[in-house]
Amino acid sequence: LPKGLSTDFVTLLIRLFRKGVPFCILYNHLSASRALDIPSESNPKASKKSVYDFLSICQKNLALSQSDLFMISDVFSNNISDLKKVITSVSRIVDLFDESNGTAPILDGPAPPLEGPLAKAVNEILQTERRYANDLAKIENYVSQLQAQDIIAADKIPYLFPNLRHLIDFETWLLIGIESNADVDLQSHCLGLLFAKMENDFNVYQTYALNQNRAMEIAQEEVESLQKLSYLIEPTYELQSLLILPVQRLCKYHLLLKQLIKYTPPDFPHQDDLNAGYEAMKRAANMINEARRKVENAQALKAFRLHTEEWNGLNSSTLGDLLYHGVYTVTRDNSERDHHIYLFQNYLVCCRDSDVTRSRSVSLQKKPKKRELVVKRFIKVSDIDAVVQIPNSYELKVYGNPHSGIPEMTIHFRNEESRTQWYTAIRQLLDQMIAVNTSKESTILGADSSASSNSSVASLHMHKLSLDSVSTKRQSLLGLYGTVQEEDESDSNTGTNSFVSETLEIGTSNINSEGFSPSAAAGHAAHRDSREQERQMKVIVEYYAHRFTIAISPSTTYESLIEKVVKKVRICGGQENGDIQSNLRIRYRDEDGDYILLMNDEDVQLALE
Amino acid sequence: MSNPRNYDILIKLLLVGNSGVGKSCLLLRFTDDSFTPSFITTIGIDFKIRTVPLDGQRVKMQIWDTAGQERFRTITTAYYRNAMGILLVYDVTDRKSFEDIQTWYQNVQEHAADDVNKILVGNKCDSDDARVVSYDEGKELADRLNIPFIETSAKSNTNVDEAFFSLSRQIKQRLVDTGMPTSTIGQSGLNIASSGSSSSGKCC
């Protein structure tokens, strides 16, 4: 609450009612014969008595029925809708005394003065929130009419506007908070804090959002019956709009706050709160969005199981949760094709329609078309060596190990956002994989002693080797860094300087799970490959935004390192790098994070050590 | 406003495109005939309405603006759901916004009804100095997507009505073609999803 206000006006009103004083005064106006004593402070019994007396005299003298009035318990309830009943009755009775308006309804409060963009921004939050509250009230009325007139099956009504009561209750408190803040002067409002504090309460939208598709379907199915109530809400466009409304509102708070921040002077005392509120609203909407996505993914997984007619050896019970899916263009072996791509916890799966002439849309938003899927190929997440984002495109390149179903494939996304989502998800999976498999790996190594003594995934303990292209036009930056987690490095119990011996240790004894970064997953996958080879080091190379791994032997020369990097860049780095060999420079990042230029064999050896 | 008699057809339109391309300005220009470059608040509004006579019928357009909510992709797909027409808007002075039309188009394909009408709109065509996307490029893209194309300026009020009217005409024509008797549309309700797949069952 803003400074200077101990509490919001609604709480004050509740307290006032609970004291019983207003009811006594009203009673004394209504009753000519007998006057009630005004109850003293904090005497709940006397308060209740005065409410009771008030109600009975209303029934007697004003010929009001029970349904026109409220219950005693309503006065002492914390529920806003009960309070509304009290207010409605009281204001009605006050109106009877005096034709002039009694209690002004909450929703028609005066607008704050409009001066300057900041005031306008605050006002916009307030006015639109009021309108939203009004719309919810309209919906509430509509739903009660639906029930009263038995218009659609009773069991469908809760699905039309699920959770409405909670939504309205929450909304009312939010509006009260906004009203309280809009009342005070612009320099002391606490709108930011209000939203930040209420962040968790926005969860109330989850039930609503999760059910939204179902609600819209019901509204559509029942259009005919709902015509009867079209004097309240027109069943097609208006009802459909109202069904979207709560989610639409949820998605707008962060925008409203952003605008408020924009017009707030930098010396505003609650600037941090405002930012916190803005972030909180982004998170709140995001959380609901994610919750809904999860549910839709579960449905998509069901549909996937149902509609896949050829599995091609994929075992549907080992897929794990579905994380992302979509129809994307895939490039593989120089051919481009649209595929349904599914990213499960354990598998990346490419499918296509068994009937290729069918629509390529698989949106869940629409009624599912009858379609059968054929699994074309799939790769275990644990067989994925690396995943690379191709710059200046929305492409993601996935490298599997050579024995997997997908040695190499490029997925073309439609935008940066989905590419990033997939990339992050795959990276996280690889990350988890290494943690899970660490223990397994050490037992395998233990059983096969010859392998364990010869093989090693060398993790460069220094962090980055970078290549500098000294092209006159362009500075190429190529970083190589080891698979050991950078941040935790100082915490690891092995010394930071003796990296070569440590990497061997990692390879031959047990893989230290904390020691691995996301990229270590790739290292892990390569572990098995490199078992036959002698003492390979896995090095992560960064080139512009490209990132890939190469295997080098610890005794590698400068020439062969360059050669390997160039080869890799040619393969993975896209066309824009043309002739890179002549002007490549390699830098590595040492344990202090400094980039050190490599010029010859000695530098390389030094770097590796 | 709930009187169905004050219009013959109701159509629901949706504006999509990168932020800053002037979606809100187009909307305001069309519905309120105003252009306020410095301070516009369209954030709080849910949609805008304008009823216009079009070829002898009163067409009520309900226009939705999605600005700023693109990040909540899953829960905002509901906007697409009942849209009958979509304006794909880019800014002729911003090439990225033009390139991203492809993405927007695919979003529409994915989430909107199959027969939704579309129009490509190159906004800010008054800014000749800053223009980086030529008329021909816009036209070419529109032809490739097989949708109509128009250049507009909300600022100088060029072609704004035409953009909305052109899309509305298409929709009206489609409704007539698909056998929806327009005289009853106002009452029986007009729902793109139901006209597309009225007999299909519930979602799994």
Side-chain angles (χ1 to χ4, degrees), chain A residues 227 234 236, chain B residues 4 7-11 57 84 172 175-176 180-191:
Chain A
Q227 283 296 340
E234 196 281 323
T236 50
Chain B
Y7 60 89
D8 300 310
I9 308 179
L10 177 104
I11 57 178
Q57 279 178 310
M84 299 155 75
K172 225 177 101 196
L175 297 174
V176 171
M180 176 86 66
T182 49
S183 58
T184 64
I185 285 166
Q187 300 134 33
S188 71
L190 181 65
N191 200 303

Side-chain angles (χ1 to χ4, degrees), chain B residues 62-78:
Chain B
Q62 186 194 34
I63 309 153
W64 294 62
D65 187 357
T66 59
Q69 300 161 67
E70 297 84 0
R71 58 166 57 232
F72 314 117
R73 209 167 280 281
T74 308
I75 49 179
T76 51
T77 51

Side-chain angles (χ1 to χ4, degrees), chain A residues 124 248 252 366 414 417, chain B residues 41 45 73 79 103 110:
Chain A
E124 184 172 11
Q248 194 182 15
K252 285 191 170 167
K366 283 185 250 172
R414 291 179 199 130
E417 187 193 338
Chain B
T41 72
I45 63 160
R73 209 167 280 281
Y79 294 159
T103 308
E110 196 172 330

Side-chain angles (χ1 to χ4, degrees), chain A residues 130-188:
Chain A
R130 282 180 182 167
R131 206 173 56 220
Y132 175 49
N134 269 331
D135 285 335
L136 286 181
K138 191 175 176 184
I139 294 171
E140 192 182 27
N141 179 39
Y142 184 71
V143 170
S144 65
Q145 285 303 314
L146 275 182
Q147 283 161 339
Q149 299 186 28
D150 201 16
I151 284 172
I152 63 170
D155 59 342
K156 278 191 177 176
I157 297 175
Y159 288 105
L160 202 52
F161 288 101
N163 213 19
L164 187 61
R165 273 202 87 96
H166 289 125
L167 217 60
I168 289 178
D169 215 48
F170 164 72
E171 159 57 23
T172 311
W173 281 114
L174 181 63
L175 179 60
I176 291 165
I178 295 173
E179 294 271 2
S180 308
N181 279 289
D183 270 351
V184 300
D185 83 287
L186 288 172
Q187 288 317 304
S188 53

Side-chain angles (χ1 to χ4, degrees), chain A residues 360-490:
Chain A
R360 44 175 296 216
S361 170
V362 283
S363 165
L364 269 174
Q365 308 305 315
K366 283 185 250 172
K367 313 262 174 170
K369 296 191 181 82
K370 185 157 166 41
R371 59 185 167 81
E372 303 300 329
L373 288 173
V374 176
V375 174
K376 292 304 285 179
R377 58 186 60 82
F378 56 89
I379 179 171
K380 261 184 147 160
V381 170
S382 56
D383 283 342
I384 295 177
D385 267 359
V387 51
V388 180
Q389 306 195 68
I390 312 293
N392 305 319
S393 75
Y394 300 139
E395 292 169 13
L396 199 60
K397 231 172 164 125
V398 177
Y399 297 95
N401 76 44
H403 317 293
S404 70
I406 303 175
E408 191 184 317
M409 140 174 124
T410 307
I411 310 172
H412 306 253
F413 292 92
R414 291 179 199 130
N415 51 45
E416 186 62 49
E417 187 193 338
S418 45
R419 196 257 300 260
T420 310
Q421 283 171 341
W422 280 67
Y423 176 73
T424 315
I426 296 174
R427 288 297 295 257
Q428 276 172 0
L429 288 177
L430 296 177
D431 204 10
Q432 289 161 11
M433 196 69 66
I434 199 71
V436 172
N437 283 354
T438 315
S439 51
K440 279 191 210 158
E441 197 63 33
S442 50
T443 49
I444 292 168
L445 288 174
D448 185 355
S449 61
S450 65
S452 68
S453 59
N454 290 330
S455 73
S456 66
V457 174
S459 302
L460 285 182
H461 216 266
M462 61 196 177
H463 295 143
K464 264 182 197 167
L465 291 160
S466 297
L467 294 183
D468 259 0
S469 164
V470 283
S471 143
T472 47
K473 292 210 167 147
R474 176 176 71 212
Q475 268 265 313
S476 312
L477 236 192
L478 182 59
L480 297 166
Y481 70 98
T483 52
V484 174
Q485 193 164 339
E486 292 173 42
E487 282 85 1
D488 290 354
E489 188 226 324
S490 53

Side-chain angles (χ1 to χ4, degrees), chain A residues 236-519:
Chain A
T236 50
Y237 87 92
E238 199 183 359
L239 181 57
Q240 293 280 355
S241 306
L242 287 172
L243 283 167
I244 301 176
L245 193 67
V247 171
Q248 194 182 15
R249 187 70 192 161
L250 172 70
C251 294
K252 285 191 170 167
Y253 288 116
H254 81 282
L255 295 170
L256 291 163
L257 286 169
K258 194 177 173 191
Q259 183 173 253
L260 191 60
I261 291 169
K262 188 173 155 195
Y263 295 115
T264 296
D267 59 346
F268 179 64
H270 309 304
Q271 194 77 46
D272 291 349
D273 286 345
L274 264 186
N275 290 326
Y278 166 67
E279 293 298 331
M281 286 307 96
K282 270 202 297 195
R283 279 194 302 270
N286 228 353
M287 208 198 64
I288 308 288
N289 194 57
E290 276 302 294
R292 166 106 170 251
R293 213 177 58 76
K294 265 193 179 157
V295 170
E296 288 185 359
N297 275 348
Q299 289 171 346
L301 176 56
K302 246 191 199 166
F304 175 75
R305 291 207 162 115
L306 201 67
H307 293 295
T308 302
E309 60 179 13
E310 279 175 49
W311 288 87
N312 275 331
L314 180 67
N315 182 349
S316 87
S317 62
T318 57
L319 295 171
D321 288 344
L322 177 61
L323 303 175
Y324 289 96
H325 68 114
V327 179
Y328 302 111
T329 307
V330 170
T331 313
R332 215 185 127 265
D333 301 337
N334 293 325
S335 75
E336 275 198 5
R337 256 219 165 118
D338 282 356
H339 279 295
H340 300 261
I341 316 272
Y342 293 83
L343 176 63
F344 298 98
Q345 240 163 352
N346 303 322
Y347 285 92
L348 180 66
V349 181
C350 291
C351 303
R352 65 172 176 74
D353 290 316
S354 59
D355 178 3
V356 282
T357 58
R358 284 206 180 115
S359 159
R360 44 175 296 216
S361 170
V362 283
S363 165
L364 269 174
Q365 308 305 315
K366 283 185 250 172
K367 313 262 174 170
K369 296 191 181 82
K370 185 157 166 41
R371 59 185 167 81
E372 303 300 329
L373 288 173
V374 176
V375 174
K376 292 304 285 179
R377 58 186 60 82
F378 56 89
I379 179 171
K380 261 184 147 160
V381 170
S382 56
D383 283 342
I384 295 177
D385 267 359
V387 51
V388 180
Q389 306 195 68
I390 312 293
N392 305 319
S393 75
Y394 300 139
E395 292 169 13
L396 199 60
K397 231 172 164 125
V398 177
Y399 297 95
N401 76 44
H403 317 293
S404 70
I406 303 175
E408 191 184 317
M409 140 174 124
T410 307
I411 310 172
H412 306 253
F413 292 92
R414 291 179 199 130
N415 51 45
E416 186 62 49
E417 187 193 338
S418 45
R419 196 257 300 260
T420 310
Q421 283 171 341
W422 280 67
Y423 176 73
T424 315
I426 296 174
R427 288 297 295 257
Q428 276 172 0
L429 288 177
L430 296 177
D431 204 10
Q432 289 161 11
M433 196 69 66
I434 199 71
V436 172
N437 283 354
T438 315
S439 51
K440 279 191 210 158
E441 197 63 33
S442 50
T443 49
I444 292 168
L445 288 174
D448 185 355
S449 61
S450 65
S452 68
S453 59
N454 290 330
S455 73
S456 66
V457 174
S459 302
L460 285 182
H461 216 266
M462 61 196 177
H463 295 143
K464 264 182 197 167
L465 291 160
S466 297
L467 294 183
D468 259 0
S469 164
V470 283
S471 143
T472 47
K473 292 210 167 147
R474 176 176 71 212
Q475 268 265 313
S476 312
L477 236 192
L478 182 59
L480 297 166
Y481 70 98
T483 52
V484 174
Q485 193 164 339
E486 292 173 42
E487 282 85 1
D488 290 354
E489 188 226 324
S490 53
D491 302 333
S492 77
N493 38 22
T494 41
T496 49
N497 294 322
S498 57
F499 53 88
V500 169
S501 60
E502 188 207 343
T503 54
L504 292 176
E505 208 177 287
I506 289 171
T508 53
S509 57
N510 58 336
I511 295 166
N512 180 348
S513 64
E514 310 102 305
F516 280 76
S517 70
S519 50

